[in-house]
Amino acid sequence: MRQTTLCYIDDGEHYLMLHRVKKEHDASHGKWIGVGGKCEADESPDECMMREVREETGLEITRWHYRGIVTFISDTWPNEYMHLFTADRWEGEPDMGIDDEGTLAWISKSDLPIADGIGDPQINLWEGDRLFLRLLLDERQPFFSMKLVYVQDELTRATLNGQPLPV
């Protein structure tokens, strides 16, 4: 299982997100996601997150919260453990054109399509991301473990702290 990180940089009203549009053969092509990537051999999850944020945005994270771990199982893409973070303090201004995988933008939290009838349907998210974004938006939510199982690009099963979730 590969180890990855994903960070949602939070200014209070928005998350800084990446629209993955620059690579053709990208599992997340056309989707909006947080900032992150693969852990290197000698990195802890927080070191990886800080490096990936610096590489993809130019920001230096100064305060972050380790929010959960998501286990992705797929019949198409490599399986992974994704370490999920939010960050609410940083130094610098985001370089919106730095990333070679997509385009950065501040997305209003109220525009995130996390449930039917809520948010902007033009913001294309993975179905599983809708589930964990609901948890991230609740700052009182304790650290969680989520498992997401995909067949092709369809979410077929999800659990939160070992309990089944409707998909």
Side-chain angles (χ1 to χ4, degrees), residues 56-69:
E56 295 184 2
T57 70
L59 297 175
E60 292 290 334
I61 298 298
T62 59
R63 187 170 80 174
W64 64 94
H65 307 279
Y66 190 5
R67 302 292 302 277
I69 187 162

Side-chain angles (χ1 to χ4, degrees), residues 100-135:
D100 65 352
E101 296 174 349
T103 304
L104 290 167
W106 290 102
I107 303 297
S108 173
K109 293 177 185 180
S110 63
D111 285 342
L112 291 171
I114 58 172
D116 289 340
I118 296 176
D120 181 348
Q122 297 297 316
I123 299 173
N124 186 16
L125 301 174
W126 285 101
E127 288 301 314
D129 290 18
R130 296 173 196 271
L131 297 175
F132 66 68
L133 279 165
R134 288 180 206 152
L135 301 173

Side-chain angles (χ1 to χ4, degrees), residues 19-107:
H19 192 203
R20 300 283 295 245
V21 293
K22 293 187 179 176
K23 290 184 176 179
E24 272 306 307
H25 301 289
D26 179 357
S28 294
H29 187 77
K31 303 270 196 279
W32 286 90
I33 63 171
V35 178
K38 297 178 199 78
C39 293
E40 294 179 356
D42 61 344
E43 287 182 316
S44 66
D46 57 331
E47 291 169 329
C48 173
M49 177 273 298
M50 291 171 54
R51 175 184 54 77
E52 288 286 348
V53 167
R54 184 174 43 256
E55 290 174 1
E56 295 184 2
T57 70
L59 297 175
E60 292 290 334
I61 298 298
T62 59
R63 187 170 80 174
W64 64 94
H65 307 279
Y66 190 5
R67 302 292 302 277
I69 187 162
V70 180
T71 303
F72 284 101
I73 306 297
S74 170
D75 67 343
T76 307
W77 306 102
N79 296 333
E80 66 185 74
Y81 293 123
M82 184 190 69
H83 304 272
L84 190 58
F85 295 87
T86 55
D88 58 6
R89 291 195 188 150
W90 58 87
E91 294 176 353
E93 292 295 321
D95 183 343
M96 303 308 240
I98 196 172
D99 195 88
D100 65 352
E101 296 174 349
T103 304
L104 290 167
W106 290 102
I107 303 297

